Amino acid sequence: MRAFDFSRAESVGSAAQHGNAETAFVAGGTTLLDLVKLDVMRPAAVVDINALPLKTVERLADGRLRIGALVTNTDLAHHPEVKRDYPLLSQALLAGASTQLRNMATTAGNLMQRTRCPYFRDVGSACNKRQPGSGCDARDGINRMHALLGGSADCIAVHPSDMCVALAAIGATLTLEGPAGEREVAFADFHPLPGDTPHIEHDLAADELITALTLDAPLTLDAPLARAGSHYLKLRDRASYEFALASAAVQLNLDGERITEARLALGGVATKPWRASEAEAALVGRPAELASFERAAEIALRDARPLAHNAFKVDLAKQAIVRALRDATRAARQGGTDTQESQA
Ligand SMILES: Cc1cc2nc3c(=O)[nH]c(=O)nc-3n(C[C@H](O)[C@H](O)[C@H](O)COP(=O)(O)OP(=O)(O)OC[C@H]3O[C@@H](n4cnc5c(N)ncnc54)[C@H](O)[C@@H]3O)c2cc1C
């Protein structure tokens, strides 16, 4: 492991002043330290931001929930207002990693976590994300885990986060702070598609810090008489401590048997947290039944581009969508309470 300078930031302003292309902020350290040890990330300096006052969850006057960047994945998953109003987010968080990791991992660190593509994590392999212009060994390599959606000639690495899939369905805004002041970015715009610049993974400058994440108002707040139901389903090689092969985050509202509003996002199959907007539109006005769910799944995957080893994920993702829609419907009928496990 290479040596680096280490310091602790006392304020958001001083942390941002330290920020540059050679510096990394450390929060829980569960992504950063692994990648430093693997020599994938090579910061000359690491700035510990854990003393910053970014650990609170507060309800805003407009009904949205603002989450400090340093709130841990465990605290967020078990926060009473998250469990009540955003059970989808709680489920997705609890489907990720392990208890020990979630106790350390932070909201901002999760937003910033990097792909688990084995070629990215192996400095002996060609990877345009790690080293621009070096090529992509995954394309002709073992690409069982790689993306069906949103890939490019230069990169097919999957975005690994479970939390971010729920956020894609819920909608959120990030607050960023740098020397030029504060700015906000819609969650949907924060992770760009790889295109021919897969090394650009976020809309965040080197001297900016994520300070907060604000969730859109819950679906039920806009339509108090309707009953929003939600479900996060994660399919993976083993039941815990494993990344998704395919996952689906669903929120929906029903009026009787008809779907009046639907949100659908996919994980494990795309290069960014993937909102399936056309499939959502195809659900609205339809009866909440298997035929509607299967049609939505077909639409969500119709642009899938399977590779040599991951064609099985097309069907897997469709099944995840159908089952998550089914379970979200059941939750809606029960008044939004989803008691099912998120795992297969
Ligand atoms: C074995 C293992 C299994 C895992 N399984 C899963 C899983 O199943 N599902 C899943 O979703 N995740 C999984 N993870 C990933 C885990 O969720 C992330 O490592 C974690 O969320 C990162 O948070 P952190 O606070 O530890 O980030 P850190 O490691 O501290 O930081 C990660 C990155 O974010 C940057 N950063 C941190 N805070 C800020 C900030 N406020 N502003 C700007 N930049 C910042 C850092 O500079 C760094 O580049 C797993 C991780 C491991 C090690």
Side-chain angles (χ1 to χ4, degrees):
M1 187 162 125
R2 291 167 201 253
F4 50 77
D5 291 336
F6 181 79
S7 60
R8 288 192 177 87
E10 305 293 334
S11 67
V12 171
S14 72
Q17 272 167 12
H18 279 93
N20 60 56
E22 306 297 314
T23 300
F25 300 122
V26 65
T30 62
T31 284
L32 182 73
L33 295 188
D34 272 4
L35 293 178
V36 170
K37 286 187 216 163
L38 291 170
D39 209 23
V40 170
M41 290 178 78
R42 301 172 180 177
V46 171
V47 179
D48 181 351
I49 58 173
N50 282 287
L52 304 183
L54 304 172
K55 296 180 182 164
T56 54
V57 177
E58 57 176 317
R59 178 70 71 179
L60 303 182
D62 60 9
R64 297 183 302 153
L65 202 65
R66 183 182 163 99
I67 300 155
L70 288 169
V71 174
T72 66
N73 288 182
T74 296
D75 286 348
L76 190 57
H78 295 294
H79 193 280
E81 296 199 49
V82 173
K83 283 170 72 175
R84 189 191 66 204
D85 294 337
Y86 303 96
L88 182 67
L89 178 60
S90 182
Q91 269 190 330
L93 283 161
L94 294 175
S98 64
T99 306
Q100 291 88 341
L101 282 157
R102 292 192 297 268
N103 288 345
M104 294 301 296
T106 62
T107 303
N110 198 320
L111 292 163
M112 293 287 291
Q113 68 170 290
R114 306 193 69 186
T115 182
R116 311 301 286 198
C117 172
Y119 301 98
F120 169 76
R121 291 168 68 87
D122 170 21
V123 291
S125 299
C127 173
N128 290 315
K129 189 182 273 301
R130 178 171 30 76
Q131 195 179 347
S134 64
C136 173
D137 275 349
R139 272 223 158 259
D140 297 318
I142 297 170
N143 45 43
R144 179 175 180 272
M145 300 291 288
H146 289 76
L148 302 167
L149 297 163
S152 69
D154 287 342
C155 187
I156 49 173
V158 158
H159 193 278
S161 170
D162 291 296
M163 179 187 86
C164 289
V165 184
L167 294 179
I170 292 166
T173 305
L174 275 69
T175 306
L176 315 177
E177 194 163 327
E182 202 174 84
R183 71 182 175 103
E184 295 199 327
V185 179
F187 172 77
D189 300 331
F190 185 64
H191 301 101
L193 289 172
D196 58 4
T197 53
H199 59 289
I200 300 174
E201 297 176 322
H202 315 103
D203 180 3
L204 183 79
D207 57 2
E208 283 181 318
L209 203 66
I210 301 170
T211 53
L213 171 77
T214 304
L215 304 179
D216 286 1
L219 278 189
T220 43
L221 221 70
D222 289 339
L225 296 178
R227 292 173 299 170
S230 67
H231 192 77
Y232 184 71
L233 179 69
K234 177 176 181 180
L235 303 177
R236 46 189 156 173
D237 281 328
R238 57 183 179 189
S240 75
Y241 203 41
E242 185 56 275
F243 289 88
L245 286 167
S247 70
V250 170
Q251 288 193 114
L252 50 77
N253 267 328
L254 298 180
D255 182 4
E257 286 307 304
R258 284 212 178 261
I259 299 169
T260 55
E261 196 165 2
R263 305 271 184 85
L264 171 61
L266 305 180
V269 292
T271 52
K272 64 175 281 181
W274 195 261
R275 179 97 180 252
S277 306
E278 287 180 32
E280 291 174 355
L283 285 162
V284 174
R286 295 258 166 180
E289 63 186 23
L290 184 63
S292 310
F293 304 161
E294 287 178 345
R295 182 165 168 267
E298 288 298 325
I299 292 170
L301 270 298
R302 74 178 160 206
D303 293 330
R305 297 279 174 273
L307 305 154
H309 305 120
N310 70 354
F312 74 98
K313 292 214 292 186
V314 177
D315 277 342
L316 201 66
K318 288 180 189 171
Q319 287 171 31
I321 292 168
V322 170
R323 287 179 51 187
L325 282 164
R326 182 200 65 191
D327 290 350
T329 299
R330 180 166 52 208
R333 288 181 183 139
Q334 291 168 355
T337 311
D338 181 1
T339 53
Q340 302 294 308
E341 290 293 317
S342 68
Q343 290 94 358

